[in-house]
Amino acid sequence: MTPFELLCAAIMVVGLFGVVVQVLPGTLLVLGGILLWATEVQTASGWVVLAIGVVATVAAWIGKYLLAGRGLKKAAVPNRTLVVGGVLGVVGFFVIPVIGLPLLFVLGVYLAEQARLRDRSKAWISTKAAIRATGITILVELAGAMVAVGAWVIAILVS
């Protein structure tokens, strides 16, 4: 691999990390690494890899919202609960490095559902549904990003 390809690979690895940790715009970084490479190599395979990456990540973005939304609707978790969880998660990101985001997201969802339902067991069921939906979104987004990176790796190996 050339130093330039290593740089593109590093950008994509950081992007994959960002998809899992949800701190960085992971799929955008993956696409950015592929775009950087494609504009440098300026070959048909480069543009095909970029197109595959765009299609895979857009499909993953759409899929994650559809799947998560369906799970949350089935569990009757309202959007305002997710907003409370999201706001507390963002606060947690700055207050407690590394673990604050997921920890306070879960706490926020639980507290919002506890206030809404006035029942601890039902609030915990809703919280588990929100955690499951979040996990599904991460897995779907990761799958799309992995398809994009996989297409790039194949192109590198073939060329």
Side-chain angles (χ1 to χ4, degrees):
M1 283 183 98
T2 67
F4 180 74
E5 290 170 339
L6 287 173
L7 171 66
C8 294
I11 292 169
M12 288 183 253
V13 167
V14 170
L16 291 173
F17 177 76
V19 169
V20 174
V21 179
Q22 298 286 298
V23 175
L24 302 169
T27 50
L28 291 178
L29 285 171
V30 167
L31 284 177
I34 293 172
L35 176 64
L36 185 65
W37 172 78
T39 56
E40 178 67 23
V41 297
Q42 300 255 338
T43 62
S45 64
W47 301 120
V48 169
V49 168
L50 180 61
I52 290 169
V54 168
V55 169
T57 55
V58 167
W61 284 336
I62 293 168
K64 75 179 190 176
Y65 288 112
L66 292 176
L67 289 171
R70 183 172 51 190
L72 292 171
K73 185 175 279 191
K74 185 178 175 184
V77 178
N79 287 336
R80 69 178 175 270
T81 295
L82 298 177
V83 170
V84 170
V87 168
L88 277 180
V90 169
V91 169
F93 174 75
F94 293 105
V95 174
I96 309 168
V98 182
I99 63 166
L101 176 67
L103 184 65
L104 267 75
F105 171 77
V106 171
L107 179 63
V109 169
Y110 177 77
L111 292 175
E113 286 299 276
Q114 172 65 25
R116 180 176 77 91
L117 299 171
R118 307 262 188 246
D119 183 328
R120 287 181 184 168
S121 63
K122 288 180 182 178
W124 183 240
I125 290 169
S126 295
T127 303
K128 288 190 297 187
I131 293 168
R132 197 173 310 112
T134 302
I136 288 169
T137 64
I138 291 170
L139 289 176
V140 170
E141 189 174 355
L142 182 61
M146 291 295 290
V147 167
V149 171
W152 178 80
V153 168
I154 291 169
I156 293 295
L157 293 175
V158 170
S159 64

